[in-house]
Amino acid sequence: MRSPKSVLTRRRLALALIAGVVAGGCSSPGAQPPEPNVQVVDGPVARQLKGAVSDAGAVTHLQALQKIADDNGGNRASPGPGYDASVDYVTGVLRAAGYDVATPTYELPRKRDREQGTARNVITQTRTGDPAHVVVIGAHLDSVEDGPGIVDNGSGVATLLEIARHLGPSASLRNTVRFAFFGSEESESEGSKSYVNGLSTADREKIALYLNVDMVASPNGGYFAQGGAGDKQSQTGPPGSAAVAGVLAGQLAATGVKPETIEFVGDDETAFVDAGIPSGGAENGDRKDKSGAQAQAWGGQADERYDPCYHKACDRLENVNRVVLSHYLTAIAGTVAYFATSDQSILR
């Protein structure tokens, strides 16, 4: 249970976030909250990072994840050898980029089809920025057992790796950026829940916001930002979540697409939402059909699934839509840079 002081601090954070100006790291007490599709003015870090990341770089990581699945029974499910190899790959990429990396274990409860055991998350963060103000971006590293999970969620993993590699561990930042790769999302989000539940109250209070990246390269994908939409907190996120979604939506709009803001549906952001941490999400749709209006706005096929290979063996490299991936990669890089360089008055 969170203490009254903890809840008050988080509410103040949310109100401060909403008061921020989307202006390359500046803030103003009288500013309005960022709305979806607003123009986002990038600061120097955002401009550099958005110019450096590329879908070609992300595809290199997707190729590696595909090979890992091919070498391990066709999947990267957690627990399993494909997942362990995925952890080792991500760890190797981050260490080669100069990061200090931790792979904390979490408990896997016994289930009907699974013995009790452990699995690993992957966590790293910049050495720069105020560690009392942490911007967390996360993606799940596991696949389902039925396929290699290259869109779900290799695309999120590749996005984080590409951003981390070009940002670097010693970038000039106001706020620390933490990259989290969670296991067992396909099994009730066990990795992310264990991670958040294992943090002390003080460490939870240091997290300014969480941005979840889950599926950003579906072949018939759309453009969605999560945060602030819905009728209850599990759908909207805590106060401040609409501001996170607003920045992401603005960054997507800057790439030339018009995103929609949608509800959270219960992915790795759930534990952060439950902890009162303002949260946003990037996702492009899975088993539902794209509407005619969406197809007209975004391209693709109306009345067909965003991803016909969702949770199937065909979720392979050839399932990846590099146009969708490129829009999201650029927008997410800009979103991370915005919050990483924002004045601390926005975050407290």
Side-chain angles (χ1 to χ4, degrees):
M1 179 179 295
R2 297 175 65 77
S3 68
K5 180 180 179 180
S6 173
V7 173
L8 180 59
T9 300
R10 183 58 58 199
R11 287 175 179 169
R12 286 172 176 166
L13 165 60
L15 291 172
L17 268 167
I18 292 173
V21 176
V22 187
C26 298
S27 64
S28 170
Q32 296 299 310
E35 296 293 338
N37 308 331
V38 298
Q39 182 179 2
V40 180
V41 180
D42 293 322
V45 174
R47 291 195 296 270
Q48 185 278 328
L49 186 59
K50 289 168 68 172
V53 298
S54 71
D55 62 296
V59 167
T60 299
H61 303 304
L62 296 178
Q63 291 169 335
L65 294 174
Q66 179 67 70
K67 186 177 187 306
I68 287 170
D70 290 344
D71 291 345
N72 291 278
N75 68 67
R76 300 180 300 101
S78 174
Y83 180 74
D84 291 339
S86 299
V87 168
D88 293 341
Y89 174 75
V90 168
T91 300
V93 170
L94 293 171
R95 286 179 175 158
Y99 287 90
D100 300 318
V101 186
T103 56
T105 60
Y106 59 92
E107 295 294 324
L108 295 170
R110 183 171 182 172
K111 294 186 176 181
R112 183 177 59 183
D113 58 347
R114 186 183 74 187
E115 295 296 323
Q116 185 175 1
T118 61
R120 295 177 290 168
N121 292 322
V122 181
I123 309 293
T124 191
Q125 66 184 42
T126 57
R127 299 188 188 96
T128 49
D130 185 350
H133 303 85
V134 183
V135 174
V136 183
I137 178 172
H140 75 85
L141 184 51
D142 61 320
S143 75
V144 293
E145 293 182 354
D146 291 336
I150 299 306
V151 170
D152 183 20
N153 185 36
S155 61
V157 171
T159 294
L160 264 64
L161 288 176
E162 181 71 353
I163 292 171
R165 191 169 68 85
H166 287 287
L167 181 66
S170 301
S172 180
L173 307 175
R174 288 184 181 271
N175 310 303
T176 296
V177 176
R178 181 175 301 158
F179 297 91
F181 302 81
F182 297 121
S184 307
E185 187 273 345
E186 303 291 1
S187 180
E188 301 177 1
S189 300
E190 291 169 336
S192 56
K193 289 178 180 178
S194 177
Y195 173 75
V196 175
N197 292 339
L199 294 173
S200 67
T201 299
D203 284 338
R204 289 190 192 186
E205 285 299 314
K206 293 175 183 176
I207 298 176
L209 62 97
Y210 175 68
L211 178 63
N212 194 56
V213 184
D214 193 345
M215 297 184 65
V216 288
S218 290
N220 195 35
Y223 297 97
F224 301 106
Q226 294 172 304
D231 299 321
K232 51 187 178 180
Q233 183 166 298
S234 63
Q235 297 170 333
T236 66
S241 298
V244 182
V247 173
L248 175 61
Q251 289 285 353
L252 280 167
T255 72
V257 298
K258 187 176 181 180
E260 296 179 11
T261 303
I262 62 170
E263 302 170 352
F264 290 119
V265 294
D267 296 320
D268 278 327
E269 79 284 340
T270 299
F272 293 87
V273 168
D274 289 347
I277 296 170
S279 299
E283 71 112 326
N284 65 194
D286 45 46
R287 62 166 59 94
K288 293 183 179 179
D289 289 347
K290 178 180 280 187
S291 71
Q294 290 172 335
Q296 185 174 8
W298 299 329
Q301 299 300 312
D303 302 319
E304 293 188 10
R305 290 186 176 190
Y306 299 113
D307 188 354
C309 288
Y310 175 67
H311 283 187
K312 295 181 180 179
C314 59
D315 186 9
R316 300 177 57 85
L317 272 171
E318 51 268 30
N319 194 45
V320 170
N321 185 328
R322 289 182 63 164
V323 174
V324 173
L325 177 62
S326 181
H327 282 295
Y328 268 108
L329 177 58
T330 301
I332 293 166
T335 301
V336 170
Y338 167 74
F339 286 112
T341 56
S342 294
D343 185 274
Q344 291 181 6
S345 64
I346 295 176
L347 300 173
R348 280 292 181 195

